[in-house]
Amino acid sequence: MTITTVSNEQLAKEYVDGVFEQLKQQNSHQAEFLQAAEEIFISLVPVFVQHPEYIKANILSRIIEPDRIISFRVAWQDDNNQVQVNRGYRVQYSNVMGPYKGGLRFHPSVNESIIKFLGFEQIFKNALTGQPIGGGKGGSNFDPKGKSNSEIMRFCQAFMTELYRHIGPDVDVPAGDIGVGAREVGYLWGQYKRLTHASESGVLTGKTPGYGGSLARKEATGYGTVYFVNEMLKDANDSFEGKTVVVSGSGNVSTYAIEKAQAYGAKVVACSDSSGYVYDPDGLDLEAIKEIKEVKGDRISTYVNYRPDATYTEGCTGIWTIPCDIALPCATQNEINGESARTLISNGVKAIGEGANMPSDLEAINEFLDAGVLFGPAKAANAGGVAVSALEMAQDSSRVFWSFEKVDAKLHQIMKDIYADSKAAAEKYGYPGNLVVGANIAGFVKVADGMLAEGVY
Ligand code: NDP
Ligand code: 2IT
């Protein structure tokens, strides 16, 4: 018996290592993609020990290779009539669980590695929501900063002029991510309608409520992250009440994480953008942040004009030196490294909730886990956004729209379920309390079983 167990473990480890080695050789220049894959692969060894049938079907080599990667030229005219060219992407990763589903990111850093890391993680995140959605991601290296409204519109129209032929309400359903919100989704949706002559509102999510969008989609990722962290805290007989919280970023996810954390009685003392961070020891004024970011589209540095006691510091990583009980990284990938993690820990942090995708690098994750910090990994903690996107698809299909309260209640339940499923998987596979392993396994097993059911193709 012991001999069998040992050999199963060896087999599982050799299998995972072998697939990862090949992946490294084939994608040696794609650092973010390899990082996301490594984190998941390590977590899956205990699954392959218990499920040799997944090895036999070579599930890992199949799931790591996207169904297809579409890369295309986006040519558009700026306000000076100059022709600009950007690169567009859509990675259709897996439709085992439903139509490809995932956001579009417009940011100068976008490349194939970033879109693949996001698309790969999206498969498991989406499976965790319990909704019928597969995994995908897309975007462009277009930089929306400093562009006029008309330039944004022309870019979105040019982007959709190629993308439309690859998507559809039952095929692939994009949404927002960094640099893409309801305004951009509106322009993309308008162009899709013009090109297809069909009013298939379920082809995109994150639309404006009243024009096919779901109430509470805008709030969903930030609220969901706080709901998830609240579940972790409850399990440790704790809560947000009276806690000091630091949130990075000041975009869509950050704004609504701040809103819900404050509603739960926390004092949120800092937030940031890619230039620097603000610290307001009496607690952030959310209305000021909404006016700066949502109304004026301005920099977070201007916050000190609203609150004279607040301070602004250039640079992003310094935000993690502010002592806090709970940290919610909600800006971008790799914003917390090992050093920042150690600083947070030595300042007494109790819980981390990843609102952004892959905000903590592998060293940081290990520091948090080793120190016994409650750690809500991105795939689980920020799944509320895509979960409400799936609820938007359901409303679009039925032509019936739900109240804010109804959507929010469903979101809350989904986040509780994701927490319970991740916790249970961690226990079942021998890593109690490790939600990184738990979330990766809970998501993976659903997709792997779907792949077994479909057969090899
Ligand atoms: P937004 O564009 O609304 O906001 C992004 C925020 O992060 C801004 O404050 C931005 O600052 C900051 N930021 C972006 N890039 C960097 C960088 N390289 N370094 C430092 N700060 C940066 O995006 P979202 O709020 O929608 O997305 C934030 C994160 O959450 C991303 O990781 C995204 O993938 C993830 N996410 C988003 C979901 C959604 O529904 N929108 C769902 C799940 C996850 P600046 O303005 O200076 O660029
Ligand atoms: O990373 C994400 O989950 C998102 N950007 C949201 C995707 C979606 O389809 O709503």
Side-chain angles (χ1 to χ4, degrees), residues 140-168:
S140 173
N141 60 358
F142 172 73
D143 186 358
K145 278 206 189 73
K147 300 292 188 297
S148 71
N149 188 36
S150 335
E151 288 176 324
I152 301 273
M153 183 180 74
R154 286 196 296 276
F155 177 80
C156 289
Q157 290 172 344
F159 185 86
M160 185 53 86
T161 300
E162 171 60 28
L163 186 68
Y164 88 97
R165 70 190 76 247
H166 306 291
I167 62 176

Side-chain angles (χ1 to χ4, degrees), residues 105 107 109 118 122 125 137 145 176-180 217 221 248-254 272-275 293 298-299 316 330-333 335 355-358 382-383 385-386:
R105 177 178 290 192
H107 193 272
S109 64
L118 290 163
Q122 198 85 43
K125 181 197 306 192
K137 199 83 188 188
K145 278 206 189 73
D177 193 81
I178 291 177
V180 179
R217 174 63 188 87
T221 313
S248 64
S250 48
N252 172 260
V253 180
S254 318
S272 61
D273 61 21
S274 59
S275 308
K293 301 309 280 194
D298 218 336
R299 306 304 295 160
C316 299
C330 295
T332 195
Q333 62 275 358
E335 51 172 316
N357 284 309
M358 206 166 76
N382 75 34
V386 77

Side-chain angles (χ1 to χ4, degrees), residues 226 229-245 261 264-266 325-326 350-351 374:
V226 171
V229 172
N230 199 42
E231 290 304 298
M232 300 197 299
L233 292 168
K234 271 198 317 202
D235 241 359
N237 292 316
D238 212 337
S239 75
F240 270 95
E241 186 65 44
K243 295 291 187 302
T244 300
V245 176
Y264 276 0
D325 302 303
I326 300 166
K350 295 183 178 68
L374 302 174

Side-chain angles (χ1 to χ4, degrees), residues 285-299:
D285 176 347
L286 186 60
E287 287 316 306
I289 292 169
K290 284 186 181 175
E291 188 172 314
I292 294 166
K293 301 309 280 194
E294 293 183 353
V295 181
K296 295 185 175 164
D298 218 336
R299 306 304 295 160

Side-chain angles (χ1 to χ4, degrees), residues 316-327:
C316 299
T317 52
I319 196 170
W320 307 120
T321 63
I322 299 170
C324 63
D325 302 303
I326 300 166

